[in-house]
Amino acid sequence: SNGNPQGIASPPNIEDFTVFNDTLYFTYQDGSEDRKLLKISNDDSPTAKPVGNSSRLWNPENLTIFNDTLYLTVTDSRGQKELVILDDEGNVEPVRFFDSNSSYSSSNTKNLTVANNTLYFIAGEENLGRLWKIKERGDAENVRDYSSS
């Protein structure tokens, strides 16, 4: 039992409210489905509409505006969080970045934060997190490595 009276579904889980280009974006999950990205714009009735291709927007989180771009994380086919940007049509484009060993590092991305015209985030393997930053020109660079061991 989920603590609700019989026959009444769990209340939805709505998070990550972010206004971008006069549109309210947020994530929504009703307990029976995967988390979705929805939007309400000024020209819409007060009805939330799904954003883009849901197969590329699986489990969206961490909505963050930086440099007139909406960044977020989505779960990829490997089950890891990937940093992406959302274009005007609702499509996502992965943000690629590489560590000093030239290995692909854009997995398990989390904790997006903007400070001093820079987007900071953590990404890396399960036991090794790396602090990354993206400056206004859009290039990601490694700031520092952190190990949990």
Side-chain angles (χ1 to χ4, degrees), residues 3 10 20 24 29 32 45 47 52 57 62 64 76 86 89 92 97 101 103 107-108 110 118 126-127 134 140 149:
S10 298
F20 180 63
L24 173 66
Q29 183 177 25
S32 64
S45 65
T47 303
L57 282 166
N62 299 297
T64 305
D76 66 15
L86 187 69
E89 286 79 41
V92 294
F97 48 95
N101 297 324
S103 63
S107 59
N108 296 319
K110 57 188 174 187
T118 303
E126 186 175 327
N127 295 324
I134 296 177
S149 56

Side-chain angles (χ1 to χ4, degrees), residues 38-59:
L38 301 177
K39 68 177 182 176
I40 301 173
S41 64
N42 281 337
D43 58 346
D44 291 339
S45 65
T47 303
K49 296 180 179 178
V51 174
N53 181 348
S54 61
S55 68
R56 291 282 301 156
L57 282 166
W58 187 57
N59 198 22

Side-chain angles (χ1 to χ4, degrees), residues 1-147:
S1 171
N2 61 11
N4 292 322
Q6 187 173 5
I8 298 178
S10 298
N13 181 343
I14 301 172
E15 298 177 345
D16 290 313
F17 290 96
T18 303
V19 176
F20 180 63
N21 291 337
D22 293 325
T23 300
L24 173 66
Y25 291 87
F26 59 96
T27 61
Y28 171 90
Q29 183 177 25
D30 70 3
S32 64
E33 300 178 12
D34 293 325
R35 182 165 294 285
K36 294 182 173 124
L37 182 63
L38 301 177
K39 68 177 182 176
I40 301 173
S41 64
N42 281 337
D43 58 346
D44 291 339
S45 65
T47 303
K49 296 180 179 178
V51 174
N53 181 348
S54 61
S55 68
R56 291 282 301 156
L57 282 166
W58 187 57
N59 198 22
E61 294 179 311
N62 299 297
L63 280 65
T64 305
I65 299 167
F66 172 66
N67 202 23
D68 293 324
T69 303
L70 180 58
Y71 288 80
L72 62 147
T73 59
V74 296
T75 304
D76 66 15
S77 61
R78 300 169 298 157
Q80 296 182 352
K81 285 295 191 183
E82 179 179 17
L83 182 63
V84 298
I85 58 173
L86 187 69
D87 70 16
D88 293 335
E89 286 79 41
N91 299 310
V92 294
E93 180 180 324
V95 177
R96 303 284 185 210
F97 48 95
F98 298 87
D99 68 16
S100 60
N101 297 324
S102 297
S103 63
Y104 181 66
S105 296
S106 61
S107 59
N108 296 319
T109 306
K110 57 188 174 187
N111 300 337
L112 280 62
T113 302
V114 176
N116 299 322
N117 295 321
T118 303
L119 173 65
Y120 293 93
F121 57 95
I122 301 292
E125 301 305 315
E126 186 175 327
N127 295 324
L128 178 64
R130 292 183 170 92
L131 178 63
W132 293 83
K133 68 181 179 180
I134 296 177
K135 296 282 221 169
E136 289 184 43
R137 67 182 184 277
D139 298 327
E141 70 179 75
N142 183 243
V143 176
R144 185 168 179 176
D145 293 349
Y146 296 93
S147 175

